[in-house]
Amino acid sequence: MSLRQLLLRFGIAYLLLLLAAGALLAALGVQNNAGVNVAALLGAVMWACVGFAKKNGRYFTRPEKRRAVLGMLAVDLGIQALFSIIVSASQGTLPVAALALALLFIGALHALVIWVFVGLAGRQFARTQPPV
């Protein structure tokens, strides 16, 4: 699996998890919150990274890990920006400065979460491998 396929897998999984969680919470009458977004992010990161490791029989090299984390962050921020623009536009306003500041804050937090869970996925994969 290439890094491009990893990022596509991550983006699709993250988007579907966000939509499914949002629909489920709306059906239950519960307001969506940041915890749901982070849970969807964690699930998508772990699933994509473990899938990469299983398909390739190895985990990321150091340069691949850096590109994977930055790529996942870019996909994440793209999805966050899209949802933010849709919500803002539906309310008749588009506060660009506030959206940019929110994306900067979310990006910093999500970068840390992605980096930590890419590492955890690597350790998870390493535990499943027979000792050499």
Side-chain angles (χ1 to χ4, degrees):
M1 173 186 291
S2 68
L3 283 176
R4 178 171 287 179
Q5 291 169 323
L6 166 94
L7 295 176
L8 180 63
R9 176 182 278 213
F10 166 76
I12 291 169
Y14 186 42
L15 187 58
L16 290 176
L17 286 170
L18 284 173
L19 292 173
L24 178 64
L25 290 176
L28 295 173
V30 178
Q31 187 175 357
N32 198 355
N33 61 39
V36 173
N37 291 346
V38 172
L41 179 63
L42 299 179
V45 167
M46 293 294 286
W47 183 70
C49 290
V50 170
F52 175 91
K54 285 182 180 178
K55 287 203 182 246
N56 292 334
R58 63 172 180 83
Y59 203 58
F60 300 121
T61 62
R62 187 173 292 234
E64 285 175 332
K65 181 179 179 182
R66 182 177 51 252
R67 288 195 312 263
V69 168
L70 292 174
M72 286 182 196
L73 181 60
V75 169
D76 173 30
L77 289 178
I79 290 171
Q80 296 294 332
L82 178 65
F83 279 130
S84 298
I85 289 169
I86 289 170
V87 168
S88 295
S90 71
Q91 295 174 351
T93 63
L94 190 60
V96 177
L99 285 175
L101 186 59
L103 284 175
L104 182 64
F105 181 71
I106 289 169
L109 292 175
H110 284 201
L112 180 61
V113 168
I114 290 169
W115 180 73
V116 166
F117 277 82
V118 166
L120 287 175
R123 287 192 282 284
Q124 173 78 20
F125 177 72
R127 280 187 287 224
T128 65
Q129 299 306 301
V132 178

